[in-house]
């Protein structure tokens, strides 16, 4: 009888602890749901920097020549 009561009590307490942790996580996510202005600004700066690097790579001589070769090969292909 003692073991059964102890097992049920432990299950109840463990379940309550899990429910409390879930509630705390949900509240934390709800409180920090969006970005602030400085985070938006940093995100935009990072996106622009990535775009500039990508533009420089694509417009470089080697990559540009390869892309032109691919397009020329596709246009010259027989149907």
């Amino acid at each position: 009888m003692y073991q059964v009561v102890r097992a049920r009590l432990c299950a109840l307490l463990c379940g309550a602890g899990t429910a409390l942790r879930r509630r705390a996580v949900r509240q934390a996510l709800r409180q920090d749901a969006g970005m602030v202005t400085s985070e938006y600004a940093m995100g935009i700066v990072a996106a622009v920097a990535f775009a500039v690097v990508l533009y420089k790579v694509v417009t470089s001589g080697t990559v540009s020549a390869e892309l032109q070769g691919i397009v020329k090969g596709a246009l010259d292909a027989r149907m």
Side-chain angles (χ1 to χ4, degrees):
M1 174 91 171
Y2 171 74
Q3 292 173 346
V4 173
V5 172
R6 184 173 181 197
R8 286 186 182 174
L9 183 61
C10 182
L12 178 65
L13 291 176
C14 291
T18 302
L20 289 174
R21 281 191 296 276
R22 282 188 203 146
R23 177 183 280 171
V25 167
R26 274 185 270 154
Q27 286 178 349
L29 290 175
R30 210 176 300 135
Q31 290 173 355
D32 193 23
M35 293 193 302
V36 294
T37 306
S38 61
E39 290 172 333
Y40 277 117
M42 292 304 294
I44 290 171
V45 167
V48 169
F50 181 73
V52 168
V53 169
L54 186 61
Y55 177 77
K56 288 291 186 182
V57 168
V58 170
T59 57
S60 69
T62 307
V63 175
S64 181
E66 286 295 322
L67 288 175
Q68 287 178 358
I70 291 170
V71 170
K72 185 176 180 182
L75 293 176
D76 292 340
R78 291 188 171 193
M79 296 260 204

Coordinates of all heavy atoms in Angstrom, one line a residue:
M1 N 0.8 -1.2 0.0 CA 0.0 0.0 0.0 C 0.9 1.3 0.0 O 0.6 2.2 -0.7 CB -0.9 0.0 1.2 CG -1.7 1.2 1.4 SD -3.3 1.0 0.6 CE -4.1 2.4 1.2
Y2 N 1.9 1.2 0.8 CA 2.8 2.4 0.9 C 3.5 2.7 -0.4 O 3.6 3.8 -0.9 CB 3.9 2.1 2.0 CG 5.0 3.1 2.0 CD1 4.8 4.4 2.5 CD2 6.3 2.8 1.5 CE1 5.8 5.3 2.5 CE2 7.3 3.8 1.5 CZ 7.1 5.0 2.0 OH 8.1 5.9 2.1
Q3 N 3.9 1.6 -1.2 CA 4.6 1.8 -2.4 C 3.6 2.4 -3.5 O 4.0 3.2 -4.3 CB 5.1 0.5 -2.9 CG 6.3 0.0 -2.1 CD 6.7 -1.4 -2.5 OE1 6.1 -2.1 -3.2 NE2 7.9 -1.8 -2.0
V4 N 2.3 2.0 -3.4 CA 1.4 2.5 -4.4 C 1.1 4.0 -4.2 O 1.1 4.8 -5.1 CB 0.0 1.7 -4.3 CG1 -1.0 2.3 -5.2 CG2 0.3 0.2 -4.7
V5 N 0.9 4.3 -2.9 CA 0.7 5.7 -2.5 C 1.9 6.6 -2.9 O 1.8 7.7 -3.5 CB 0.4 5.9 -1.0 CG1 0.3 7.4 -0.6 CG2 -0.9 5.2 -0.7
R6 N 3.1 6.1 -2.6 CA 4.3 6.8 -3.0 C 4.4 7.0 -4.5 O 4.8 8.0 -5.0 CB 5.5 6.1 -2.4 CG 6.8 6.8 -2.6 CD 8.0 6.1 -1.9 NE 9.2 6.9 -2.2 CZ 10.4 6.5 -2.0 NH1 10.6 5.3 -1.5 NH2 11.4 7.3 -2.3
A7 N 4.2 5.9 -5.3 CA 4.3 6.0 -6.7 C 3.3 7.0 -7.3 O 3.6 7.8 -8.2 CB 4.0 4.6 -7.3
R8 N 2.0 7.0 -6.8 CA 1.0 7.9 -7.2 C 1.4 9.4 -6.9 O 1.2 10.3 -7.7 CB -0.4 7.6 -6.7 CG -1.0 6.4 -7.3 CD -2.4 6.2 -6.8 NE -2.9 5.0 -7.4 CZ -4.1 4.4 -7.1 NH1 -4.8 5.0 -6.2 NH2 -4.5 3.4 -7.7
L9 N 1.9 9.6 -5.7 CA 2.3 10.9 -5.2 C 3.5 11.4 -6.1 O 3.5 12.6 -6.5 CB 2.7 10.9 -3.8 CG 3.1 12.2 -3.1 CD1 1.9 13.2 -3.2 CD2 3.5 12.0 -1.7
C10 N 4.4 10.5 -6.4 CA 5.6 10.9 -7.2 C 5.1 11.3 -8.6 O 5.5 12.3 -9.2 CB 6.6 9.8 -7.3 SG 8.0 10.2 -8.2
A11 N 4.2 10.5 -9.2 CA 3.7 10.8 -10.5 C 2.9 12.1 -10.5 O 3.0 12.9 -11.5 CB 2.7 9.6 -11.0
L12 N 2.2 12.4 -9.5 CA 1.4 13.6 -9.4 C 2.4 14.8 -9.3 O 2.2 15.8 -10.0 CB 0.5 13.6 -8.2 CG -0.3 14.9 -7.9 CD1 -1.3 15.1 -9.0 CD2 -1.0 14.8 -6.6
L13 N 3.4 14.7 -8.5 CA 4.4 15.8 -8.3 C 5.2 16.0 -9.6 O 5.5 17.1 -10.0 CB 5.3 15.5 -7.1 CG 4.6 15.7 -5.8 CD1 5.6 15.3 -4.7 CD2 4.1 17.0 -5.6
C14 N 5.6 14.9 -10.2 CA 6.4 15.0 -11.5 C 5.6 15.6 -12.6 O 6.0 16.5 -13.3 CB 6.9 13.6 -11.9 SG 8.2 13.0 -10.8
G15 N 4.3 15.3 -12.6 CA 3.4 15.8 -13.6 C 3.2 17.3 -13.4 O 3.1 18.1 -14.3
A16 N 3.0 17.7 -12.1 CA 2.9 19.1 -11.8 C 4.1 19.9 -12.1 O 4.0 21.0 -12.6 CB 2.5 19.2 -10.3
G17 N 5.3 19.3 -11.9 CA 6.5 20.0 -12.2 C 6.6 20.2 -13.7 O 7.1 21.3 -14.2
T18 N 6.2 19.2 -14.5 CA 6.3 19.3 -15.9 C 5.3 20.4 -16.4 O 5.6 21.2 -17.3 CB 5.9 18.0 -16.6 OG1 6.8 17.0 -16.1 CG2 6.0 18.1 -18.1
A19 N 4.1 20.4 -15.8 CA 3.1 21.5 -16.2 C 3.6 22.9 -15.9 O 3.4 23.8 -16.7 CB 1.8 21.2 -15.5
L20 N 4.3 23.0 -14.7 CA 4.8 24.3 -14.3 C 5.9 24.8 -15.3 O 6.0 25.9 -15.6 CB 5.3 24.3 -12.9 CG 4.2 24.2 -11.8 CD1 4.8 24.0 -10.4 CD2 3.3 25.4 -11.9
R21 N 6.8 23.8 -15.7 CA 7.9 24.2 -16.6 C 7.3 24.6 -18.0 O 7.7 25.5 -18.6 CB 8.8 23.0 -16.8 CG 9.8 22.8 -15.6 CD 10.9 21.8 -15.9 NE 10.4 20.5 -16.1 CZ 10.2 19.6 -15.1 NH1 10.4 20.0 -13.9 NH2 9.8 18.4 -15.4
R22 N 6.3 23.8 -18.4 CA 5.6 24.2 -19.7 C 5.0 25.6 -19.6 O 5.2 26.4 -20.6 CB 4.6 23.2 -20.1 CG 5.1 21.9 -20.6 CD 3.9 21.1 -21.1 NE 4.3 19.7 -21.2 CZ 3.6 18.6 -20.9 NH1 2.3 18.8 -20.6 NH2 4.0 17.4 -21.0
R23 N 4.4 25.9 -18.5 CA 3.7 27.2 -18.4 C 4.8 28.3 -18.4 O 4.6 29.3 -19.0 CB 2.9 27.2 -17.1 CG 2.3 28.6 -16.9 CD 1.5 28.7 -15.6 NE 0.2 28.1 -15.8 CZ -0.6 27.8 -14.8 NH1 -0.3 28.1 -13.6 NH2 -1.8 27.3 -15.1
A24 N 5.9 28.1 -17.7 CA 7.0 29.1 -17.6 C 7.6 29.3 -19.0 O 7.9 30.4 -19.4 CB 8.1 28.6 -16.6
V25 N 7.8 28.2 -19.8 CA 8.3 28.4 -21.1 C 7.3 29.1 -22.0 O 7.7 30.0 -22.7 CB 8.6 27.0 -21.7 CG1 8.9 27.1 -23.2 CG2 9.8 26.3 -21.0
R26 N 6.1 28.8 -21.9 CA 5.1 29.5 -22.7 C 5.0 31.0 -22.4 O 5.0 31.9 -23.3 CB 3.7 28.9 -22.5 CG 3.4 27.7 -23.5 CD 2.0 27.3 -23.4 NE 2.1 26.2 -22.3 CZ 1.1 25.9 -21.5 NH1 0.0 26.4 -21.6 NH2 1.3 24.9 -20.6
Q27 N 5.1 31.3 -21.1 CA 5.1 32.7 -20.7 C 6.4 33.4 -21.2 O 6.3 34.6 -21.6 CB 5.0 32.9 -19.2 CG 3.6 32.6 -18.7 CD 3.5 32.6 -17.2 OE1 4.5 32.7 -16.5 NE2 2.3 32.6 -16.6
A28 N 7.5 32.8 -21.1 CA 8.7 33.4 -21.6 C 8.7 33.6 -23.1 O 9.1 34.7 -23.5 CB 9.9 32.5 -21.2
L29 N 8.1 32.7 -23.8 CA 8.0 32.9 -25.3 C 7.0 34.0 -25.6 O 7.2 34.8 -26.5 CB 7.6 31.6 -25.9 CG 8.6 30.5 -26.0 CD1 8.0 29.2 -26.5 CD2 9.8 30.9 -26.7
R30 N 6.0 34.1 -24.8 CA 5.0 35.1 -25.1 C 5.6 36.5 -24.8 O 5.3 37.5 -25.5 CB 3.8 34.9 -24.2 CG 2.5 35.4 -24.8 CD 1.3 35.0 -23.9 NE 1.1 33.6 -23.8 CZ 0.9 33.0 -22.6 NH1 0.7 33.7 -21.5 NH2 0.7 31.7 -22.5
Q31 N 6.4 36.6 -23.8 CA 7.0 37.9 -23.4 C 8.0 38.3 -24.4 O 8.2 39.5 -24.6 CB 7.6 37.8 -22.0 CG 6.5 37.7 -20.9 CD 7.2 37.5 -19.5 OE1 8.4 37.3 -19.5 NE2 6.4 37.4 -18.5
D32 N 8.7 37.4 -25.0 CA 9.8 37.7 -26.0 C 9.4 37.3 -27.3 O 10.1 36.5 -28.0 CB 11.1 37.1 -25.5 CG 12.3 37.6 -26.2 OD1 12.2 38.7 -26.7 OD2 13.3 36.9 -26.3
A33 N 8.3 37.7 -27.8 CA 7.7 37.2 -29.1 C 8.3 37.9 -30.3 O 8.2 37.4 -31.4 CB 6.2 37.3 -29.1
G34 N 8.8 39.1 -30.2 CA 9.2 39.9 -31.3 C 10.6 40.5 -31.1 O 11.2 40.4 -30.1
M35 N 11.0 41.1 -32.2 CA 12.3 41.8 -32.2 C 12.1 43.3 -31.9 O 11.1 43.9 -32.2 CB 13.0 41.7 -33.5 CG 13.4 40.3 -33.9 SD 14.6 40.2 -35.3 CE 13.7 41.0 -36.6
V36 N 13.1 43.9 -31.2 CA 13.1 45.3 -31.0 C 13.7 46.0 -32.2 O 14.3 45.4 -33.1 CB 13.8 45.7 -29.7 CG1 13.1 45.1 -28.5 CG2 15.2 45.2 -29.7
T37 N 13.7 47.3 -32.2 CA 14.1 48.1 -33.3 C 15.6 47.8 -33.6 O 16.0 47.7 -34.8 CB 13.9 49.6 -33.1 OG1 12.5 49.8 -32.8 CG2 14.3 50.4 -34.3
S38 N 16.4 47.7 -32.6 CA 17.9 47.5 -32.8 C 18.1 46.1 -33.4 O 19.0 46.0 -34.2 CB 18.6 47.6 -31.5 OG 18.2 46.6 -30.6
E39 N 17.3 45.2 -33.1 CA 17.5 43.8 -33.7 C 17.1 43.9 -35.2 O 17.7 43.2 -36.0 CB 16.7 42.8 -32.9 CG 17.2 42.5 -31.6 CD 16.3 41.6 -30.8 OE1 15.1 41.6 -31.0 OE2 16.8 40.9 -29.9
Y40 N 16.0 44.6 -35.5 CA 15.6 44.8 -36.9 C 16.7 45.5 -37.7 O 17.1 45.1 -38.8 CB 14.4 45.7 -37.0 CG 13.1 44.9 -36.8 CD1 12.2 45.2 -35.8 CD2 12.7 43.9 -37.7 CE1 11.0 44.5 -35.6 CE2 11.5 43.2 -37.6 CZ 10.7 43.5 -36.5 OH 9.5 42.8 -36.3
A41 N 17.3 46.5 -37.1 CA 18.4 47.2 -37.7 C 19.6 46.3 -38.0 O 20.2 46.3 -39.1 CB 18.8 48.4 -36.9
M42 N 20.0 45.5 -37.0 CA 21.1 44.6 -37.2 C 20.8 43.5 -38.3 O 21.6 43.1 -39.0 CB 21.5 43.9 -35.9 CG 22.0 44.9 -34.8 SD 23.5 45.8 -35.4 CE 24.6 44.4 -35.6
G43 N 19.5 43.1 -38.3 CA 19.1 42.1 -39.3 C 19.2 42.7 -40.7 O 19.6 42.0 -41.6
I44 N 18.8 43.9 -40.8 CA 18.8 44.6 -42.1 C 20.3 44.8 -42.6 O 20.6 44.6 -43.7 CB 18.0 45.9 -42.1 CG1 16.5 45.6 -42.0 CG2 18.3 46.8 -43.3 CD1 15.7 46.8 -41.7
V45 N 21.1 45.2 -41.7 CA 22.5 45.4 -42.0 C 23.2 44.1 -42.4 O 23.9 44.1 -43.4 CB 23.3 46.1 -40.8 CG1 24.8 46.0 -41.0 CG2 22.8 47.5 -40.6
A46 N 22.9 43.1 -41.7 CA 23.4 41.7 -42.1 C 22.9 41.3 -43.4 O 23.7 40.8 -44.3 CB 23.1 40.7 -41.0
A47 N 21.6 41.5 -43.7 CA 21.1 41.1 -45.0 C 21.7 41.9 -46.2 O 22.0 41.4 -47.2 CB 19.5 41.3 -45.0
V48 N 21.9 43.2 -45.9 CA 22.5 44.0 -47.0 C 24.0 43.6 -47.2 O 24.4 43.5 -48.3 CB 22.4 45.5 -46.6 CG1 23.3 46.4 -47.5 CG2 20.9 46.0 -46.7
A49 N 24.7 43.4 -46.1 CA 26.1 42.9 -46.3 C 26.1 41.6 -47.0 O 27.0 41.4 -47.9 CB 26.7 42.7 -44.9
F50 N 25.2 40.7 -46.7 CA 25.2 39.4 -47.5 C 24.9 39.6 -48.9 O 25.5 39.0 -49.8 CB 24.2 38.4 -46.8 CG 24.1 37.1 -47.5 CD1 25.1 36.2 -47.4 CD2 23.0 36.8 -48.3 CE1 25.1 35.0 -48.0 CE2 23.0 35.6 -48.9 CZ 24.0 34.7 -48.8
A51 N 24.0 40.5 -49.2 CA 23.6 40.8 -50.6 C 24.8 41.4 -51.4 O 25.0 41.1 -52.5 CB 22.4 41.8 -50.6
V52 N 25.5 42.3 -50.7 CA 26.7 42.9 -51.4 C 27.7 41.9 -51.7 O 28.3 41.8 -52.8 CB 27.3 44.0 -50.5 CG1 28.6 44.5 -51.0 CG2 26.3 45.2 -50.4
V53 N 28.0 41.0 -50.7 CA 29.0 39.9 -51.0 C 28.5 39.0 -52.1 O 29.3 38.7 -53.0 CB 29.2 39.1 -49.7 CG1 30.1 37.9 -49.9 CG2 29.9 40.0 -48.6
L54 N 27.3 38.6 -52.1 CA 26.7 37.8 -53.1 C 26.8 38.5 -54.5 O 27.2 37.9 -55.5 CB 25.3 37.4 -52.8 CG 24.6 36.4 -53.7 CD1 25.4 35.1 -53.7 CD2 23.2 36.2 -53.3
Y55 N 26.5 39.8 -54.6 CA 26.6 40.5 -55.8 C 28.0 40.6 -56.3 O 28.2 40.4 -57.5 CB 26.0 42.0 -55.6 CG 26.1 42.8 -56.8 CD1 25.3 42.7 -57.9 CD2 27.2 43.8 -56.9 CE1 25.4 43.5 -59.0 CE2 27.3 44.6 -58.0 CZ 26.4 44.4 -59.0 OH 26.5 45.2 -60.2
K56 N 28.9 40.8 -55.4 CA 30.3 40.8 -55.8 C 30.8 39.5 -56.4 O 31.6 39.4 -57.3 CB 31.2 41.3 -54.7 CG 31.1 42.7 -54.3 CD 31.6 43.6 -55.4 CE 31.6 45.0 -54.9 NZ 32.1 45.9 -56.0
V57 N 30.4 38.4 -55.8 CA 30.8 37.1 -56.2 C 30.2 36.8 -57.6 O 30.8 36.3 -58.5 CB 30.3 36.0 -55.2 CG1 30.5 34.6 -55.7 CG2 31.2 36.1 -53.9
V58 N 28.9 37.1 -57.7 CA 28.2 36.8 -59.0 C 28.7 37.6 -60.1 O 28.8 37.2 -61.3 CB 26.7 36.9 -58.8 CG1 26.0 36.9 -60.2 CG2 26.1 35.9 -57.9
T59 N 29.1 38.9 -59.9 CA 29.6 39.7 -60.9 C 31.1 39.7 -61.1 O 31.6 40.4 -62.0 CB 29.2 41.2 -60.6 OG1 29.7 41.6 -59.4 CG2 27.7 41.4 -60.7
S60 N 31.8 38.8 -60.4 CA 33.2 38.6 -60.6 C 33.4 38.0 -62.0 O 32.6 37.3 -62.6 CB 33.8 37.8 -59.5 OG 33.4 36.5 -59.6
G61 N 34.6 38.1 -62.5 CA 35.0 37.6 -63.9 C 34.8 36.2 -64.0 O 34.1 35.7 -65.0
T62 N 35.2 35.4 -63.1 CA 35.2 33.9 -63.2 C 33.7 33.4 -63.2 O 33.3 32.7 -64.1 CB 36.0 33.2 -62.1 OG1 37.3 33.8 -62.1 CG2 36.0 31.7 -62.3
V63 N 33.0 33.9 -62.2 CA 31.6 33.4 -62.1 C 30.7 34.0 -63.2 O 29.9 33.2 -63.8 CB 31.0 33.9 -60.7 CG1 29.6 33.5 -60.6 CG2 31.8 33.2 -59.6
S64 N 31.0 35.2 -63.6 CA 30.2 35.8 -64.7 C 30.5 35.0 -66.0 O 29.5 34.7 -66.8 CB 30.6 37.2 -64.9 OG 29.9 37.8 -66.0
A65 N 31.7 34.6 -66.3 CA 32.0 33.8 -67.5 C 31.3 32.5 -67.4 O 30.8 32.0 -68.4 CB 33.5 33.7 -67.6
E66 N 31.3 31.8 -66.3 CA 30.7 30.5 -66.1 C 29.2 30.6 -66.3 O 28.6 29.8 -67.0 CB 31.0 29.9 -64.7 CG 32.4 29.4 -64.6 CD 32.7 28.2 -65.5 OE1 31.8 27.4 -65.7 OE2 33.8 28.2 -66.0
L67 N 28.6 31.7 -65.7 CA 27.1 31.9 -65.9 C 26.8 32.1 -67.4 O 25.8 31.6 -67.9 CB 26.6 33.0 -65.0 CG 26.6 32.7 -63.5 CD1 26.2 34.0 -62.8 CD2 25.6 31.6 -63.2
Q68 N 27.6 32.9 -68.1 CA 27.4 33.2 -69.5 C 27.5 31.9 -70.3 O 26.8 31.7 -71.3 CB 28.3 34.3 -70.0 CG 28.0 35.7 -69.5 CD 28.9 36.7 -70.0 OE1 29.9 36.4 -70.6 NE2 28.7 38.0 -69.6
G69 N 28.5 31.1 -69.9 CA 28.7 29.8 -70.6 C 27.5 28.9 -70.4 O 27.1 28.2 -71.4
I70 N 26.9 28.9 -69.2 CA 25.8 28.0 -69.0 C 24.6 28.5 -69.8 O 23.9 27.7 -70.4 CB 25.4 28.0 -67.5 CG1 26.5 27.3 -66.7 CG2 24.1 27.4 -67.2 CD1 26.4 27.4 -65.2
V71 N 24.4 29.8 -69.8 CA 23.2 30.4 -70.5 C 23.4 30.2 -72.0 O 22.5 29.8 -72.8 CB 23.1 31.9 -70.2 CG1 22.1 32.5 -71.2 CG2 22.6 32.1 -68.8
K72 N 24.6 30.4 -72.6 CA 24.9 30.2 -74.0 C 24.7 28.7 -74.3 O 24.1 28.4 -75.4 CB 26.3 30.6 -74.3 CG 26.7 30.5 -75.8 CD 28.0 31.0 -76.0 CE 28.3 30.9 -77.5 NZ 29.6 31.4 -77.9
G73 N 25.2 27.8 -73.5 CA 25.0 26.4 -73.7 C 23.5 26.0 -73.7 O 23.0 25.2 -74.5
A74 N 22.7 26.6 -72.9 CA 21.3 26.3 -72.8 C 20.6 26.9 -74.1 O 19.6 26.2 -74.6 CB 20.7 26.9 -71.6
L75 N 21.0 28.0 -74.5 CA 20.4 28.6 -75.7 C 20.8 27.9 -77.0 O 20.0 27.9 -78.0 CB 20.7 30.1 -75.8 CG 20.1 31.0 -74.7 CD1 20.6 32.4 -74.9 CD2 18.6 30.9 -74.7
D76 N 22.0 27.3 -77.0 CA 22.4 26.6 -78.2 C 22.0 25.2 -78.3 O 22.3 24.5 -79.2 CB 24.0 26.7 -78.3 CG 24.5 28.1 -78.6 OD1 23.6 29.0 -79.1 OD2 25.6 28.4 -78.3
A77 N 21.4 24.7 -77.2 CA 21.0 23.3 -77.2 C 20.0 23.0 -78.3 O 19.1 23.8 -78.6 CB 20.4 23.0 -75.8
R78 N 20.1 21.8 -78.8 CA 19.1 21.3 -79.8 C 17.9 20.8 -79.2 O 18.0 20.1 -78.2 CB 19.8 20.3 -80.8 CG 20.8 20.9 -81.6 CD 21.3 19.9 -82.6 NE 22.2 20.5 -83.5 CZ 22.6 20.0 -84.7 NH1 22.1 18.8 -85.0 NH2 23.4 20.6 -85.5
M79 N 16.8 21.0 -79.8 CA 15.5 20.5 -79.3 C 15.1 19.3 -80.1 O 15.2 19.1 -81.2 CB 14.4 21.5 -79.4 CG 14.7 22.7 -78.5 SD 13.8 22.4 -77.0 CE 13.6 24.0 -76.4

